[in-house]
Amino acid sequence: MPDNPSSLYNHTQSYARLITGRHAMIKPHTHHPYQLGASLYMPATRQDIWQVIKRDKLPTINSIIICLEDAVSHSDVELALTRLQALLNIWASHVNSINEPSALADIQTQQPTRPLVFVRPRNPMMLQNLADFEHIDLIDGFVMPKVDMYSLSNWRMACQNLSTDQLLMPTLETAALFDPHHNQELAIAFKEAFSQPIFALRIGGNDLFAALRLRRPKDSIIYDTPIGTLIYQLLGCFVPHGFYLSAPVFEYLDQPMLFMQELTRDVSLGLVGKTVIHPSQIALVQQAYCVPLSMLDEAQAILHSEAKAVFKYNNTMLEPATHRAWAHEVVNRSEVFGVINDGNSDYKPLL
């Protein structure tokens, strides 16, 4: 990593070397939420989305969200919907070459199969209409904005005609989310509301700031603001119910060091991905999620079939009964983002 902070966004470590054969073999809808990685919102009016899906552009992006909401002005909605249908038609004509690689690729030269692709509608009525789009089943899932107990029934109705294989990502971004009692009700309601799986819950940082009449400060990570306090509360509410949460956007492109500090906290809290606003942020997200080899070794020691109930490793007490869930997530992360040799690994398989 360069020492000059201004060059951090320009430092593009090759992601190809981190790719495992798992990317080439992956089957539809067997994804782990960590595969969200760096998520880029793209207005549906753009005409280069197909190039991104087939990896002619932004070849290392993990996931994209085709936006029909905030990124599209009201006057351009019809154009955006027309272009979305045109995209689906092109995709359908190339579906075999895009979704089903013919053989395992050389991980040094081949990018993984296409990014995960989601669509964000403006409202439940638009989502209901999207269910009738030709080839809409090619989309991996949908991002639903501004979901809370007050809008949940409308979103539930809108999803009734979607494929049960498609993935849902409700966004937590309304004033109601500041009420812990509301959030407990919502966590329980989410478990019964949809026929489709909830892939992750997205945290809409900017809308939550707006609810407090604030904007994210330029000199602080989000965890040093009131929204950081809320994120901790959301983790404590939703994760024990089995949900994954993704990290909110960092919008200051001239603050790469601060971005890295926030990424470090995102990863440590188990957030499964981060929205990016510029391609220059992709590599930093992916590097932040790479697993140190010593951490993966600890996880493998914990998950070993003959691991003792409590044992010492690297001057640390490991206890499989309480650390197993963490260990599984470390392994899941490493399968998506690869491993960094931090020079602290001395794990020997337990035979």
Side-chain angles (χ1 to χ4, degrees):
M1 188 69 68
D3 294 329
N4 181 4
S6 65
S7 67
L8 281 170
Y9 281 133
N10 297 322
H11 176 71
T12 55
Q13 173 180 326
S14 172
Y15 186 46
R17 70 177 184 81
L18 303 176
I19 295 164
T20 67
R22 181 173 185 269
H23 290 91
M25 295 185 293
I26 200 158
K27 299 298 189 295
H29 313 320
T30 60
H31 313 294
H32 188 279
Y34 269 120
Q35 288 177 253
L36 286 172
S39 295
L40 180 67
Y41 278 96
M42 302 184 70
T45 50
R46 288 183 58 157
Q47 300 189 70
D48 61 346
I49 298 176
W50 173 240
Q51 282 69 39
V52 174
I53 292 175
K54 65 178 182 172
R55 295 201 179 281
D56 288 346
K57 284 188 173 183
L58 306 182
T60 63
I61 191 71
N62 299 93
S63 57
I64 64 170
I65 299 168
I66 302 170
C67 186
L68 292 158
E69 196 211 10
D70 291 346
V72 176
S73 65
H74 181 74
S75 60
D76 286 336
V77 169
E78 288 304 317
L79 172 64
L81 290 169
T82 299
R83 288 189 173 166
L84 175 60
Q85 182 62 78
L87 170 67
L88 294 171
N89 293 340
I90 294 173
W91 188 349
S93 66
H94 295 83
V95 65
N96 290 334
S97 61
I98 295 299
N99 284 354
E100 298 178 2
S102 58
L104 290 178
D106 179 351
I107 65 173
Q108 298 295 327
T109 60
Q110 177 87 16
Q111 295 296 339
T113 186
R114 65 168 179 82
L116 293 173
V117 181
F118 297 85
V119 170
R120 177 167 71 166
R122 293 175 89 83
N123 49 50
M125 182 177 295
M126 179 179 281
L127 178 56
Q128 197 164 356
N129 293 335
L130 288 173
D132 294 328
F133 270 41
E134 192 173 8
H135 310 304
I136 196 63
D137 286 353
L138 294 172
I139 297 294
D140 293 299
F142 297 89
V143 173
M144 302 182 294
K146 300 173 177 60
V147 181
D148 54 28
M149 286 300 295
Y150 305 102
S151 64
L152 183 61
S153 61
N154 289 333
W155 286 111
R156 181 176 183 272
M157 291 288 292
C159 291
Q160 287 186 343
N161 291 328
L162 297 178
S163 166
T164 55
D165 288 333
Q166 288 180 310
L167 307 171
L168 302 181
M169 291 200 288
T171 308
L172 309 175
E173 56 185 348
T174 68
L177 273 297
F178 289 92
D179 179 359
H181 299 292
H182 165 275
N183 296 341
Q184 285 293 338
E185 289 186 30
L186 187 61
I188 295 169
F190 273 152
K191 298 169 85 169
E192 302 293 336
F194 303 104
S195 300
Q196 299 79 11
I198 292 182
F199 194 47
L201 303 176
R202 303 187 68 80
I203 300 174
N206 285 338
D207 282 278
L208 292 170
F209 274 117
L212 299 179
R213 298 192 295 274
L214 295 174
R215 181 187 176 189
R216 172 203 276 266
K218 194 169 186 176
D219 57 354
S220 301
I221 65 172
I222 200 167
Y223 300 101
D224 294 333
T225 73
I227 304 307
T229 303
L230 176 61
I231 291 174
Y232 282 108
Q233 187 260 316
L234 295 176
L235 286 164
C237 175
F238 289 99
V239 173
H241 285 279
F243 298 106
Y244 291 86
L245 280 72
S246 69
V249 67
F250 183 94
E251 63 261 46
Y252 298 114
L253 292 174
D254 59 347
Q255 295 279 3
M257 292 297 293
L258 206 62
F259 182 51
M260 292 176 66
Q261 292 174 27
E262 185 165 301
L263 278 169
T264 299
R265 190 75 63 87
D266 295 336
V267 174
S268 71
L269 293 175
L271 298 173
V272 291
K274 193 162 184 77
T275 303
V276 296
I277 60 169
H278 191 273
S280 60
Q281 293 181 322
I282 296 171
L284 291 182
V285 172
Q286 292 166 342
Q287 290 173 29
Y289 275 93
C290 285
V291 176
L293 182 57
S294 61
M295 180 184 292
L296 180 61
D297 285 347
E298 288 187 13
Q300 291 171 334
I302 289 165
L303 296 174
H304 198 282
S305 61
E306 296 184 18
K308 296 179 180 179
V310 179
F311 61 98
K312 177 184 174 183
Y313 165 73
N314 197 24
N315 291 317
T316 302
M317 182 197 78
L318 299 182
E319 187 177 4
T322 57
H323 296 157
R324 186 170 285 109
W326 169 86
H328 278 296
E329 293 310 301
V330 168
V331 172
N332 287 329
R333 236 178 79 199
S334 72
E335 289 179 346
V336 176
F337 296 100
V339 178
I340 292 177
N341 189 344
D342 57 351
N344 297 316
S345 174
D346 60 0
Y347 170 61
K348 304 295 189 298
L350 303 175
L351 301 176

